[in-house]
Amino acid sequence: MSSPALEFDPYLNDPDRWGVSLAQMAEIMLPCLDAAGVRSIAEVGAYAGDLTRVLVAWGESAGARVLAIDPSPQPGLERLAAEHPELELIRETSIDALGGAGFDSLPDAIVIDGDHNYYTVSEELRLIGERMPGAKLPLLLFHDVRWPHGRRDDYFDAEQIPAPARRPIAGDAGGLFPGEAGVRRGGLPYPRSAAREGGPANGVLTAIEDFVSGREGVRLAVVPAFFGFGVVWHTGRTWSDEIAAILDPFDQHPVLERLEVNRVQHLARGHSQRNEVWELRRRLARQQALLQRLLDSSAFAVAERLSRLRASAGIATDQSIVSKDEIRAVMRD
């Protein structure tokens, strides 16, 4: 069964059109759900409900149950749950929910798009692997397996991460920029991300690769678009070949890789240029405010008159006369 065409706006909660929602990958994701015969799916990190809305619409046609896991759901997700009783909203952390607090048995598929750091993703996968070992492993779908968080931790609340597993945070030291392992002024604003990219136990993709490498018969495919879409499944499943047939044309495709590198470069450069324009405007506003104070200053008016009197009296001076009219002309320009 193929997925019906769904109408949705992947930029609903993305006004700057960064492409941050995993809903951008719906045309690849939904056929995977159909191929695997998914009848229940949980979304970790549902946030405002952009992807959840797509999953609910798909679930209505596929006869599948949808669960949204988020300890701090945004108003959009809460409205969606109120409008669709078939959507179950679980207000728990992913660790609590996957550990058994959210549901007794794991669903057929799980979207992991919550806290984007090595510790959290590793714990999520550990719990899933323990509850559904071997070929019982659910179909796993991931977001942000490419830049910036494929190899760099990000923390929703760093205090929830054990200190030994927590990396130094960028804070206000600078933003993230493709190709820059550290941070730089004017980079994309990710103040809760790790100060440096790369190395062991750092980032979403690193956590997934470590999980896959330690298990027999588990495969990872990565579609390098819109910050990276990853899929993990056990090759012992009856539907494994169908999933592979869907994903193989996109898995690590070099053209998609170059497109994504180009896309994030433009995002970062555009943001940096807007910051520069903002800084120039801020400086201009300060200069204009200072010039206006000069215009309004009685002392400046007296100095201007004295300068004119000296000039008319033929008194030599090594300073040119600056008039209010000149200042007004500069401010108009």
Side-chain angles (χ1 to χ4, degrees), residues 9 16 24 30 53 60 96 99 107 111 132 134 138-139 189 202 207 234 264 286 290 296:
D9 180 6
D16 293 330
Q24 298 279 3
L30 299 184
R53 186 172 287 104
E60 289 176 349
D96 289 340
V111 176
M132 304 287 281
L139 179 66
N202 194 10
H234 197 285
V264 296
R286 290 179 60 189
L290 177 60
D296 297 338

Side-chain angles (χ1 to χ4, degrees), residues 131-189:
R131 296 186 66 182
M132 304 287 281
K136 294 180 181 179
L137 187 72
L139 179 66
L140 302 177
L141 309 125
F142 303 84
H143 197 206
D144 294 284
V145 299
R146 278 292 185 262
W147 191 90
H149 295 127
R151 305 296 185 190
R152 187 194 296 253
D153 278 359
D154 187 76
Y155 308 102
F156 179 77
D157 180 2
E159 294 301 317
Q160 294 184 12
I161 308 300
R166 194 168 63 226
R167 291 175 172 269
I169 298 173
D172 59 2
L176 310 190
F177 202 92
E180 173 62 62
V183 296
R184 62 184 267 184
R185 185 177 178 182
L188 294 179

Side-chain angles (χ1 to χ4, degrees), residues 80-101:
L80 186 66
E83 294 166 0
H84 294 271
E86 68 275 19
L87 169 62
E88 183 178 350
L89 179 54
I90 301 174
R91 301 170 186 267
E92 301 281 352
T93 66
S94 60
I95 303 300
D96 289 340
L98 295 173

